[in-house]
Amino acid sequence: MSVSRRCFLKNAVAFTAAASVAPGLLAGEMAAKPFFEISLAEWSLHKALFSNEISNLDFPVIARKQYGIGAVEYVNQFFKDKAKDQKYLSELMLRCHDNGVKNHLIMIDGEGDLGAPDAAERVKTIENHYQWVDAAHYLGCASIRVNAFGKGSAEEVQKAAADSLSKLGEYAQKANLNVIVENHGSYSSNGEWLLATIKKAGRRNVGILPDFGNFCIRRDTGDLYRGNCLEEYDKYKAVQEWMPVAKGVSAKTLDFDAAGNCLETDYNKMFGMIKASGFKGYVGIEYEGEKLSEEEGIKKTKALLERVAKTIG
């Protein structure tokens, strides 16, 4: 038998064996796994939660059964008095376990300003966050999301926020948790300011949660979220700058075109940059629009993320 014929037969046998083990390879069914996983941010259901149509305990069950999503991001506003309630947290864990849901993070609001120039106020705020680090650890989360707010000049708030984040990060490190700051208005929506703040904090477990929708630095009302935006940071520039220290992504959507594309953010452009950064982790759906119901908005955002993942590869 010639060498070429022996090689052909050997390769044919190997190919047949591989096909029998993974026949989907022949049919093109074994698609490459996306570079990110989808989670659901609880804020996407804030209307239903505030109106008491559903509760925080219902959230992980809804994520799995209604949307087919197996990872969740809580908002502490919806179980504000339960951070130290082990019975409640155990019930929440049981529902997650029964539905195959992973707890990814808790978004922390209303516990004071980490960027407060006053040292005593800052100490109290840091300590207020400890209970949420403990709760997140108990729930098996990877991170807590915090804000870097404060009243004062950009330099004063940055110095104060970096100090607070470093101290909170030190506490969180003991529980193997990340402390991540979301661009959430005022100075924190300035890409350069936020990145410099994180670098000043100087801890590997302190990073950023880029949100596609919060880049207004200054409004005509002086309010964080209401009013016309007078100064806005370029979202694509910010995300590109932040990805080296990003420990998650918040995929915000407000409105869609007829083809299901997000009107306010070019998702192909955004995720092209995110993939190029080497990011591998969770991308949280955060629908905040008014034209669609929360259910429709979540489903459209999920479909968009799945399509982008397939397109980008």
Side-chain angles (χ1 to χ4, degrees):
M1 185 183 295
S2 68
V3 173
S4 60
R5 179 168 173 75
R6 284 199 301 271
C7 288
F8 171 79
L9 290 173
K10 181 180 179 181
N11 291 338
V13 170
F15 182 77
T16 302
S20 67
V21 173
L25 288 171
L26 295 179
E29 294 171 2
M30 299 293 285
K33 185 179 179 181
F35 70 91
F36 64 86
E37 295 185 69
I38 296 174
S39 53
L40 179 61
E42 192 169 21
W43 191 254
S44 297
L45 294 163
H46 69 275
K47 293 176 184 176
L49 284 153
F50 280 130
S51 65
N52 294 317
E53 292 175 35
I54 61 173
S55 73
N56 184 67
L57 287 173
D58 298 325
F59 174 52
V61 183
I62 290 170
R64 171 60 76 189
K65 292 188 174 180
Q66 196 163 331
Y67 303 106
I69 296 174
V72 292
E73 304 178 6
Y74 297 99
V75 177
N76 74 328
Q77 295 181 53
F78 302 119
F79 60 124
K80 194 66 180 289
D81 60 340
K82 304 297 185 183
K84 297 180 180 180
D85 188 336
Q86 195 166 32
K87 183 179 179 182
Y88 179 90
L89 296 179
S90 295
E91 175 62 25
L92 187 58
M93 278 293 289
L94 181 62
R95 296 193 185 198
C96 292
H97 179 270
D98 288 347
N99 290 276
V101 174
K102 174 183 174 60
N103 294 320
H104 178 50
L105 67 82
I106 304 177
M107 298 185 178
I108 314 303
D109 300 303
E111 295 293 359
D113 290 345
L114 290 170
D118 181 77
E121 180 183 345
R122 206 159 61 248
V123 168
K124 186 176 186 303
T125 296
I126 294 168
E127 291 176 349
N128 287 346
H129 282 75
Y130 286 170
Q131 63 181 336
W132 292 108
V133 172
D134 297 342
H137 178 60
Y138 183 86
L139 292 173
C141 297
S143 308
I144 61 165
R145 187 279 278 148
V146 302
N147 296 302
F149 296 145
K151 296 178 179 66
S153 69
E155 293 76 17
E156 289 172 330
V157 175
Q158 183 175 81
K159 181 181 178 182
D163 178 67
S164 295
L165 289 167
S166 181
K167 289 173 180 174
L168 185 56
E170 182 180 11
Y171 182 84
Q173 183 63 58
K174 297 170 186 175
N176 198 30
L177 280 166
N178 298 313
V179 175
I180 52 180
V181 183
E182 181 182 350
N183 47 309
H184 219 179
S186 189
Y187 301 131
S188 72
S189 289
N190 182 313
E192 293 179 10
W193 183 93
L194 183 54
L195 182 59
T197 303
I198 298 303
K199 288 182 176 179
K200 283 180 182 293
R203 290 197 170 274
R204 294 183 66 180
N205 68 321
V206 174
I208 296 177
L209 178 67
D211 183 301
F212 296 168
N214 295 329
F215 291 98
C216 184
I217 301 168
R218 186 167 57 91
R219 296 183 185 276
D220 59 0
T221 59
D223 189 84
L224 282 175
Y225 311 115
R226 290 185 293 274
N228 297 315
C229 187
L230 301 177
E231 183 182 359
E232 190 168 16
Y233 200 87
D234 183 87
K235 66 173 67 179
Y236 304 102
K237 182 174 183 287
V239 171
Q240 191 162 39
E241 291 170 341
W242 292 342
M243 287 315 298
V245 295
K247 299 183 184 298
V249 172
S250 182
K252 179 163 286 179
T253 52
L254 300 176
D255 201 3
F256 302 86
D257 64 17
N261 296 307
C262 179
L263 291 177
E264 61 278 359
T265 302
D266 183 334
Y267 267 55
N268 284 316
K269 178 178 180 180
M270 191 67 87
F271 278 92
M273 295 190 305
I274 292 170
K275 184 182 180 183
S277 75
F279 173 82
K280 293 183 185 299
Y282 283 97
V283 173
I285 292 172
E286 189 172 53
Y287 173 68
E288 204 176 39
E290 297 295 332
K291 293 183 179 179
L292 300 175
S293 68
E294 291 181 326
E295 180 179 359
E296 290 176 297
I298 292 168
K299 287 181 176 179
K300 276 188 173 291
T301 307
K302 185 187 180 198
L304 173 58
L305 287 173
E306 290 172 339
R307 189 166 69 249
V308 167
K310 187 176 180 181
T311 300
I312 293 177

